[in-house]
Amino acid sequence: MANANETSNHTNVDTGHPTKATYFAVAMLLVVLTAIEVGIFYIESLGHGIIPILAILSGAKFALVVMFYMHLRYDAKLLTWLFLAGFFLAITVVFALLGLFHFFI
Amino acid sequence: MAQAELAHGGHEEHQTTTGLSHKKLLMWAFLGSDCMFFGSLIATYLVYKNRSLGGPLPEDVFDILTTSTSTFVLLMSSMSMVLAYSALTRGNMNGFRIWLLSTCIMGATFLGFQVFEFNEFVNHEVHFECSHLEDLTKFERTFADRCDGTVDEVFIEHAGLTPRTNLFGTTFFVLTGFHGGHVTLGVIWLLAMFFYSLRKGGITPAKHEEVDLAALYWHFVDIVWIIIFTVIYLFGVFPGF
Amino acid sequence: MTTLGIPIPKRPIHPTGVWDWLTTIDHKKIGVLYGVTAFFLFLTGGVEALWMRVQLMGPEADFVTPEVYNQLFTMHATTMIFLGVMPMGAAFFNFLIPLQIGARDVAFPRLNAFSYWTFLAGALILKFSWFMGGAPNAGWFGYAPITGIEYNPGNGIDFWILSLQVLGIASLAAALNFIVTIINMRAPGMSLMRMPLFTWMSFVTAFLLILAFPVITVALIELMFDRFYGTNFFVTSAGANPLLWQHLFWVFGHPEVYILILPAMGIVSEILPTFSKKPLFGYPVIVLSGVVIGFMGWMVWAHHMFTVGLGPVANSVFAVTTMAIAIPTGVKIFSWIGTMWGGSISFKTPMMFAIGFIALFIIGGLSGVMHSSAASDAQQQDTYFIVAHIHYVLFGGAIFAIFGGIYYWFPKMTGKFLGEKLGQLNFWLMFIGMNVTFFPMHFLGLDGMPRRVYTYSEGMGWDYWNLVATVGSVVLALGVLVFLHNFFKTLISGEEAPGDPWDGRTLEWSIPSPPPHYNFVQIPTVSDIDDWWHRKREDDSSLAPVAGSSEDEHDIHLPDPSYWPLVTAVGLFIGAYGLLYTLNIGTFTGFPLFAIVGGSITLVGITAWSLEPVNEPDSDH
Ligand SMILES: [Cu+2]
């Protein structure tokens, strides 16, 4: 798999797959993060502070799945860009629409 | 667009310019496109948040513990999917089939939870005791004046949530319904792979990419749910959001 | 494939006649199918336009009823955008991209056939609405709540929704296919910055398609659920905000404008250097400005909504971004003029259309900048000024470039030249007709004539220019008739064209006309921009395109034809109607029998297609 992306992609496409232990560790992390999310949810003293915390936690879960289970971390960068183009555009459009509908103020 | 990576062109011995397979590129471009699809649905949901003219509202119907359980099931199905793929690449066909089937079962379980949840919402009942009016939700309070003074009277009335009830019902059911539709397609795809793998030569370690594509789709459905769980469920019940 | 238990026709290996066209997966044939279908649909859209011009010729005419007039303008715009310009662009994508990047086909040939058949299904659903109880009547942007069931109980809007959904599937499939093709099937040495401009602009367009279409898909799903199942997305009495539709529509709608114009810009960027005998002036700058236009196209959508009351902040932001988008567009125009500057220009028909494109697009661009100012737009919104603007960019722009492209590549597609004299006549009739039709609309708009109104009273001061516009539209129609005459005359008795008739610059000119079904005997190795042009200058022996001998041909493996894409698309066609035509059997009210039948056909099609090998093992290829 010596390809054009080698310069920007230090790990080789086929041999770089993580082990079963890695997959399992990721799964445990996902479960723990979800548990923390649900747990935090019941702490009323946090007030609005809960929003950034939950956003960061679910962002971390999202990133874990994309990087390890969808193995973007080990694949060609081009695939990451293809996906992120849609992902970031979607995020931007969502926030722009929320702003236009006075969701924040 | 990754001009930098692409600009060098490919080697002659490769079938494709970048050395990546056509199908994998297609899948990732499609997933990028699907982000816009769910983005638009989520935007619709959020734009209409707190704009329903009547109940029931998220705090009336959501049961975070139930949904946490179904979220857990879906996360675990992602793990079993990745283990299936890993077994396949190592030539362990039986391991592959077992993990694949368990992914299907967990996917179906998730769908079962969704059916259960939708059913609960449609049959939702407003239920409170007239002696304890302080903990009522906004929607429940609209019924409070029906308590005519008799002590310990229990008030029960059917107030289901359907896609036609209010803006929350409309946006919630359509968003989660389309996610459920994606999961259903995924289950069908994975089941087809499972049965195909029983045929001799149907799925072999050499054809691992076919499974990889289905797995990518499956994990994508999972990450969409990660966002839905936080933004719609957790934020949904959070007061003042 | 015989495991399905039912006798099914054998896979065609060397089909002939109609069966060949139904099962073809050759990108060139699919390109021709797209082109012919889209041109026919373009003509139907033109008839709808003429009909409106007749009605508006004088004040208080009653040639058509107000209701029919509403259907006419809705169908005209929807047809021209989705069934005319977009698929004509797709015709060029199909025919040219593999040739320009030095490939033998697209990345997914069967998916490509599926795109065409699905496009045809969507087109038929829309056009049949005329005969099935009335066409859609709410304008091409279908603003809620006029499209809601309450104000629009007929089926016209339903056909419109279903058709656009099916067309969306076709566009998405095609765009994904071309993205992969361009990324992954370039000939050795064809780096991105050596790609022909048309391929580059198509690449950007394909990204706009895959990112913009899901948004309209969601908007249409919401509208459909409102109409079919009584949800509340755009029901104001339930607290909904109809502006949501406008936002979702224009988040898609503005990138859609660039989906229409970027391929046209690509075509012009191919014609100008060839007929100026000069390389494109500032190739990297044109590429970059195309990418920037594609990117900025996402930041301007609310300029269609300046008058709905978004507030001064939002209006200012979108006004500024809209003005800014004129910069990359201007850069392109300067580069095109720079390309012609000092060149030895040959004014053949393709070049005339390309120059016409630049002139008319500048006018349309300038009126566009005028209503990018929110204050100025408040005067122009929903008047004929906007109608004038859009026709200068989409007719003067996109359609002129497409005609130029047809004249330019017709010899490559068929091996025959379109008549030059008729071509010049065609150009001048269209150029004059276009300006006489649409320029007066600027005056009408500034005089306050609203668009989408079926007639006007005497004494408004609009009679004269309306009459002029109608006369102009007749001239325009004559121009199109001359083209049709030229087209058929050429097919019957056209002058034979060699492989490289214009001293072309890009790879498609390095092979015979029409190209053999495998395109290239040997995949070329590219070492420059305009590689073919440079090769011609370096080595005299390869001046003429070489045809492959039959022995070479034998070693080339191409995928076999397949009818499953057609079956899948037929399933979608039936299924889409099935969402509308439900049955009342017993207690099942609204039982979607046809939707289930159509869905099952699609499912069978997809399954059989994915199990079918690319090549039959026993085929003699
Ligand atoms: Cu616009």
Side-chain angles (χ1 to χ4, degrees), chain C residues 100 189-198 269-275 277-284 339 408 500 503-510 525-538:
Chain C
Q100 288 200 328
M190 172 77 76
S191 63
L192 283 186
M193 292 312 275
R194 285 179 192 158
M195 273 192 337
L197 231 293
F198 174 75
S269 307
E270 298 287 339
I271 295 176
L272 288 172
T274 304
F275 290 91
K277 297 244 173 285
K278 270 180 70 192
L280 199 59
F281 179 74
Y283 169 91
T339 305
Y408 183 51
D500 186 12
D503 192 9
R505 315 180 69 84
T506 41
L507 286 179
E508 73 268 30
W509 304 110
S510 70
T525 302
V526 177
S527 52
D528 223 326
I529 306 177
D530 294 337
D531 193 65
W532 170 238
W533 196 82
H534 286 288
R535 255 195 287 157
K536 283 188 289 191
R537 296 299 172 279
E538 281 159 15

Side-chain angles (χ1 to χ4, degrees), chain A residues 20, chain B residues 79-104 194 197-198 203 205 211:
Chain A
K20 268 160 97 174
Chain B
M79 180 185 75
S80 103
M81 183 70 239
V82 89
L83 291 176
Y85 176 65
S86 157
L88 179 70
T89 51
R90 282 178 288 107
N92 176 0
M93 286 310 288
N94 276 330
F96 164 68
R97 290 190 192 103
I98 291 168
W99 285 119
L100 188 64
L101 196 61
S102 69
T103 310
C104 293
F194 173 76
S197 81
L198 297 177
I203 292 194
V211 178

